[in-house]
Amino acid sequence: SAMGVPVQIIAPFNYIYDSQAPFVVKTEIVSDKKIDIYFNEELSQSDVEQLSNFIFTAPVNDSENSLLSVAYIEKNQEKVAEITLAKKLVYTMEPYFVKVSNVRDLAGNYILNTRNLASFVLETDEMKVYPNPVYLEMIEDDPVVNFVALPEDKKGTLYIYDFGGDLVFKTSLDRQARYLWNLTNNNGLRVSSGMYFYVVRMDSYLRKGKIAIIN
């Protein structure tokens, strides 16, 4: 300056207001009881770890499962909401859903209501049969047994025998990943409670097992 006093020049500070709402980016299955939910930005830890901000919906065959806890942790240099379930996930062709609400980013923006739903499916390459056992008194709708992860490139046949070894049901399988048996015999009548045996034969593919039906 003219007085010889040094003047400190302050560089201009460009403040950018964060008005973008957070949203769900992806969901990963970590283990049979843990799920990671990724977001587009960092969130308020206290909001994320509030269990009531997460609404869990499970498929019919896992309807008694529920959320046990939520932790906001760092993983691979990203912050994720790690969900712990009360029970193990089950193999199904239907998705699980977790709806996230009332969660804010560090600027105070609430999560988008249109992009706050996390979904995932526990898939398998090995054929699964569920529910097994079948508790008829716990099923409100028409009961079915799901045969999932069948080889889609093959044709074959499903056989179901009663405990005495008599064939009670037979149907063709035609390059399909899933078949639903409605617990009826070849005459269309509901089978009685008891132990049954299934055989899935599709070319060289062969799987056998038991199904328990309990009133």
Side-chain angles (χ1 to χ4, degrees), residues 161-166 168 194-197 210:
Y161 302 87
D162 62 18
F163 190 74
D166 295 321
V168 297
M195 184 67 70
Y196 292 82
F197 302 90
K210 300 177 182 178

Short mmCIF file of all heavy atoms in Angstrom, two decimals, residues 161-166 168 194-197 210:
data_model
loop_
_atom_site.label_atom_id
_atom_site.label_comp_id
_atom_site.label_asym_id
_atom_site.label_seq_id
_atom_site.Cartn_x
_atom_site.Cartn_y
_atom_site.Cartn_z
N TYR A 161 -43.52 -88.43 -6.16
CA TYR A 161 -44.01 -89.70 -5.63
C TYR A 161 -44.39 -89.52 -4.17
O TYR A 161 -43.82 -88.70 -3.45
CB TYR A 161 -42.92 -90.78 -5.73
CG TYR A 161 -42.40 -91.02 -7.13
CD1 TYR A 161 -41.36 -90.26 -7.65
CD2 TYR A 161 -42.94 -92.04 -7.92
CE1 TYR A 161 -40.87 -90.48 -8.94
CE2 TYR A 161 -42.47 -92.28 -9.21
CZ TYR A 161 -41.44 -91.49 -9.70
OH TYR A 161 -40.95 -91.72 -10.98
N ASP A 162 -45.37 -90.33 -3.73
CA ASP A 162 -45.72 -90.30 -2.31
C ASP A 162 -44.76 -91.19 -1.53
O ASP A 162 -43.83 -91.80 -2.10
CB ASP A 162 -47.18 -90.71 -2.09
CG ASP A 162 -47.49 -92.13 -2.54
OD1 ASP A 162 -46.56 -92.94 -2.71
OD2 ASP A 162 -48.69 -92.44 -2.71
N PHE A 163 -44.98 -91.30 -0.22
CA PHE A 163 -44.06 -92.03 0.64
C PHE A 163 -44.00 -93.52 0.28
O PHE A 163 -42.99 -94.18 0.50
CB PHE A 163 -44.47 -91.87 2.11
CG PHE A 163 -43.47 -92.39 3.09
CD1 PHE A 163 -42.29 -91.70 3.33
CD2 PHE A 163 -43.68 -93.59 3.75
CE1 PHE A 163 -41.34 -92.18 4.23
CE2 PHE A 163 -42.74 -94.09 4.64
CZ PHE A 163 -41.58 -93.38 4.88
N GLY A 164 -45.10 -94.03 -0.30
CA GLY A 164 -45.14 -95.44 -0.69
C GLY A 164 -44.51 -95.72 -2.04
O GLY A 164 -44.46 -96.87 -2.48
N GLY A 165 -44.05 -94.66 -2.73
CA GLY A 165 -43.40 -94.84 -4.03
C GLY A 165 -44.34 -94.76 -5.22
O GLY A 165 -43.92 -95.01 -6.36
N ASP A 166 -45.61 -94.41 -4.98
CA ASP A 166 -46.57 -94.27 -6.08
C ASP A 166 -46.45 -92.88 -6.71
O ASP A 166 -46.33 -91.87 -6.00
CB ASP A 166 -48.00 -94.49 -5.58
CG ASP A 166 -48.23 -95.90 -5.09
OD1 ASP A 166 -47.70 -96.84 -5.72
OD2 ASP A 166 -48.94 -96.07 -4.07
N VAL A 168 -47.65 -89.61 -8.01
CA VAL A 168 -48.86 -88.81 -7.79
C VAL A 168 -48.94 -87.63 -8.75
O VAL A 168 -50.03 -87.11 -9.02
CB VAL A 168 -48.94 -88.31 -6.34
CG1 VAL A 168 -49.04 -89.46 -5.37
CG2 VAL A 168 -47.76 -87.42 -6.00
N GLY A 194 -47.90 -85.16 4.31
CA GLY A 194 -47.01 -86.32 4.36
C GLY A 194 -45.69 -86.02 3.68
O GLY A 194 -45.39 -84.88 3.31
N MET A 195 -44.90 -87.04 3.51
CA MET A 195 -43.60 -86.91 2.87
C MET A 195 -43.70 -87.32 1.40
O MET A 195 -44.29 -88.36 1.08
CB MET A 195 -42.57 -87.80 3.58
CG MET A 195 -41.16 -87.67 3.03
SD MET A 195 -40.43 -86.05 3.34
CE MET A 195 -40.20 -86.16 5.14
N TYR A 196 -43.12 -86.49 0.53
CA TYR A 196 -43.13 -86.77 -0.90
C TYR A 196 -41.69 -86.70 -1.43
O TYR A 196 -40.81 -86.08 -0.82
CB TYR A 196 -44.02 -85.76 -1.65
CG TYR A 196 -45.48 -85.93 -1.32
CD1 TYR A 196 -46.03 -85.36 -0.16
CD2 TYR A 196 -46.31 -86.67 -2.15
CE1 TYR A 196 -47.36 -85.54 0.16
CE2 TYR A 196 -47.65 -86.84 -1.85
CZ TYR A 196 -48.17 -86.28 -0.69
OH TYR A 196 -49.49 -86.47 -0.37
N PHE A 197 -41.49 -87.35 -2.56
CA PHE A 197 -40.17 -87.39 -3.19
C PHE A 197 -40.29 -86.84 -4.60
O PHE A 197 -41.23 -87.17 -5.32
CB PHE A 197 -39.63 -88.82 -3.23
CG PHE A 197 -39.52 -89.46 -1.87
CD1 PHE A 197 -40.60 -90.17 -1.35
CD2 PHE A 197 -38.37 -89.33 -1.12
CE1 PHE A 197 -40.52 -90.76 -0.09
CE2 PHE A 197 -38.28 -89.92 0.13
CZ PHE A 197 -39.36 -90.63 0.65
N LYS A 210 -36.65 -84.53 -1.17
CA LYS A 210 -37.89 -84.75 -0.41
C LYS A 210 -38.63 -83.43 -0.22
O LYS A 210 -38.03 -82.37 -0.15
CB LYS A 210 -37.56 -85.34 0.96
CG LYS A 210 -36.82 -86.66 0.94
CD LYS A 210 -36.48 -87.10 2.36
CE LYS A 210 -35.68 -88.41 2.36
NZ LYS A 210 -35.30 -88.83 3.74
#
